[in-house]
Amino acid sequence: MGNYSKVGVSHDARTELHDKLSLTGAEISINNLPAGTGVPFIHSHKNNEEIYVVLSGKGKAIIDGETIGLEAGDWIRIAPAGKRQFFAADDEGISFACIQVKENSLECYTKEDAIIYN
């Protein structure tokens, strides 16, 4: 298990994976909001952009005062300065993952960073 980490994720309100997976370049959280509830605060970041993916359910995000509807399969990227808050729909819960990384830190990706072994 030297080159990988694996954990299971429960259906808790929030599970942060930074420590559980020994992450060194990102923070990932899994979030579950029951129907009719929301994250109890508005927040932004100093340096980190956030990428959200809706895993199941539906709801909305309010970003800089704009309401964006969300449903399973949606992806959204929010710049560090964006003031954000998330809510489940009144009739359905929402589960989403949040990936937090330092804005403008990606130097290469996909095949530029790959080493192919044949």
Side-chain angles (χ1 to χ4, degrees), residues 17 20 27 68 72 82-83 87 108 111 114 118:
L17 297 175
K20 293 177 185 278
E27 167 63 306
I68 296 100
K83 293 179 181 140
F87 299 88
C108 58
K111 67 181 180 180
N118 288 324

Side-chain angles (χ1 to χ4, degrees), residues 75-117:
W75 287 79
I76 188 166
R77 180 248 181 210
I78 305 174
K83 293 179 181 140
R84 65 209 78 174
Q85 189 173 17
F86 287 80
F87 299 88
D90 288 336
D91 61 344
E92 187 174 348
I94 189 170
S95 294
F96 58 91
C98 175
I99 304 161
Q100 189 179 128
V101 295
K102 185 174 181 182
E103 187 177 44
N104 298 314
S105 65
L106 189 62
E107 295 178 2
C108 58
Y109 58 95
T110 313
K111 67 181 180 180
E112 287 82 21
D113 188 53
I115 300 169
I116 307 297
Y117 301 95

Side-chain angles (χ1 to χ4, degrees), residues 11-52:
H11 289 284
D12 293 338
R14 180 174 170 89
T15 303
E16 294 181 352
L17 297 175
H18 180 268
D19 292 337
K20 293 177 185 278
L21 290 174
S22 301
L23 300 176
T24 64
E27 167 63 306
I28 301 172
S29 64
I30 307 300
N31 303 270
N32 298 293
L33 297 173
T37 67
V39 175
F41 55 86
I42 298 168
H43 79 284
S44 64
H45 286 276
K46 298 173 188 170
N47 299 302
N48 295 339
E49 65 187 6
E50 290 183 323
I51 303 98
Y52 292 86

